[in-house]
Amino acid sequence: MGNTPFWPESASNWAASVDGLYIFLVVVSLVMCTLIFGAVAFLSAKYRRKPGVQPVAIEGSHLLEITWSVLPMFFFFAFFLGGALVYFHERTPPQGATEVYVVAKQWMWKLEHPEGQREINTLHVPLGQDVKLIMTSMDTIHSFYVPAFRIKQDVLPGRYSILWFRATQAGTYHLFCAEYCGTQHSGMIGSVIVQPPAEYQTWLNGGSSSIPLAQTGEKAFAELGCVTCHRSDSQGRGPMLTGIYGKPVVLEDGRSVMVDENYLRESILDPGAKIVAGYKPVMPTFQGIISEEQLAALVAYVKSLTPPAGAPGSAVAQSATPAKSDK
Ligand code: CUA
């Protein structure tokens, strides 16, 4: 499809399914259009008023009514199902994906790699590897749009939007903001550069000696005093953070929530929102105190805290419900 004019290049794992869905929609619409207008033209000619012929009243037909209601319904369900499948798959990143933190602001894209490399309006990604985008905005709503990858996701202030892709073709591709976000919205563009893994590694290693994101987070964790309550043993005033990422924690009201990027974010900015069972709401908010970049670094740091293999170091295991053992 890449050589067809009017059709963007196909450079990610989503291209085939999104294009397939799109072509299916267009073909069904064309067929329906032809059938309907064909029938209108044919029937108007066939049953036109002729001299000497009296019109006959028709009673209607339930069979006909049901047929032309139910058949299109199946097609509409097929649209919905096809779209929903792609949607859920796109928003469920696979384990072990390379992570990139995206911060949108009027009017630029700031991108940060776990290795500490920062970019503006340019995103380098490795070819053939899963890339997970953790995106937020510093002001209004933006939308991260790479036509060649067939991905488009609104980027909202106050939360993380998650999306993933796997680039399937090396090259440079357009990155657009696809949500009107102010006077220079049209200038909020950039490029995604897909490189073979070896070349990508060279790029990562080159340039300024950058500090890994998790390490920046560790420094902030100490400087902001988080470390005094979230200790690496279970004696702290706050929950131990080792190994909590990707696992559920039990809250005071008995609910359990999955510890993902959005939960970590909320717990830093609005600590009272979801308190882990057995702890007191004593943590101050960091809303307005830390920047989105620092927040991303803190989140990356907490995610990097994995217990040594075999150690029972999860927050669930040491929460106030000891009966509930963690598998
Ligand atoms: Cu950002 Cu439009």
Side-chain angles (χ1 to χ4, degrees):
M1 284 289 180
N3 300 323
T4 323
F6 310 119
W7 207 279
E9 284 179 282
S10 306
S12 91
N13 59 318
W14 301 121
S17 46
V18 173
D19 287 356
L21 198 62
Y22 183 70
I23 292 168
F24 176 56
L25 261 162
V26 170
V27 167
V28 169
S29 306
L30 277 178
V31 169
M32 288 307 289
C33 214
T34 312
L35 283 179
I36 290 168
F37 283 96
V40 167
F42 173 74
L43 296 173
S44 346
K46 186 167 193 297
Y47 295 106
R48 71 185 183 279
R49 177 172 284 218
K50 295 177 194 127
V53 180
Q54 280 302 312
V56 187
I58 300 169
E59 284 302 310
S61 160
H62 286 304
L63 184 67
L64 201 59
E65 296 269 0
I66 290 168
T67 310
W68 71 38
S69 302
V70 170
L71 275 183
M73 191 184 76
F74 280 113
F75 276 106
F76 292 140
F77 271 131
F79 296 157
F80 168 73
L81 203 68
L85 285 176
V86 175
Y87 181 88
F88 284 117
H89 194 188
E90 265 187 10
R91 277 144 190 89
T92 316
Q95 290 278 321
T98 304
E99 298 185 339
V100 177
Y101 285 84
V102 180
V103 178
K105 61 172 284 195
Q106 286 166 325
W107 288 273
M108 62 168 85
W109 297 102
K110 295 203 224 172
L111 306 130
E112 198 158 8
H113 295 259
E115 294 80 3
Q117 295 281 358
R118 289 153 180 260
E119 304 184 76
I120 287 178
N121 293 342
T122 306
L123 171 61
H124 286 75
V125 293
L127 175 69
Q129 288 174 17
D130 302 334
V131 176
K132 172 180 175 183
L133 302 173
I134 303 163
M135 309 191 284
T136 191
S137 164
M138 282 170 69
D139 35 53
T140 179
I141 302 178
H142 303 270
S143 182
F144 190 93
Y145 179 35
V146 185
F149 292 175
R150 310 292 190 275
I151 55 170
K152 186 199 260 177
Q153 169 64 50
D154 276 8
V155 178
L156 289 78
R159 59 159 299 160
Y160 287 127
S161 306
I162 309 285
L163 188 68
W164 77 278
F165 64 88
R166 186 171 57 246
T168 53
Q169 197 182 299
T172 302
Y173 305 99
H174 286 296
L175 161 64
F176 294 113
C177 175
E179 181 74 49
Y180 181 69
C181 55
T183 42
Q184 287 172 56
H185 155 72
S186 62
M188 195 170 160
I189 51 177
S191 42
V192 180
I193 298 168
V194 179
Q195 296 176 309
E199 216 177 288
Y200 173 73
Q201 208 54 48
T202 312
W203 175 81
L204 268 187
N205 298 338
S208 56
S209 54
S210 40
I211 301 156
L213 199 54
Q215 209 172 307
T216 309
E218 184 174 12
K219 200 156 155 269
F221 196 79
E223 283 170 4
L224 293 165
C226 318
V227 70
T228 54
C229 292
H230 296 284
R231 289 165 46 170
S232 54
D233 54 38
S234 55
Q235 306 305 309
R237 288 198 294 164
M240 194 167 78
L241 301 176
T242 309
I244 57 163
Y245 176 71
K247 297 207 182 71
V249 284
V250 179
L251 305 183
E252 290 213 285
D253 57 7
R255 279 185 303 156
S256 90
V257 289
M258 181 59 79
V259 179
D260 56 11
E261 288 86 0
N262 270 313
Y263 177 70
L264 294 175
R265 178 193 179 89
E266 181 184 55
S267 299
I268 295 167
L269 299 181
D270 183 11
K274 296 189 182 101
I275 303 274
V276 174
Y279 291 93
K280 291 198 168 56
V282 291
M283 178 172 156
T285 174
F286 287 88
Q287 182 88 51
I289 294 169
I290 57 173
S291 66
E292 280 295 346
E293 280 87 352
Q294 281 178 299
L295 187 55
L298 282 172
V299 169
Y301 171 61
V302 173
K303 286 165 69 175
S304 74
L305 293 171
T306 44
S314 93
V316 175
Q318 53 95 47
S319 80
T321 48
K324 198 174 165 109
S325 73
D326 181 36
K327 277 190 250 108

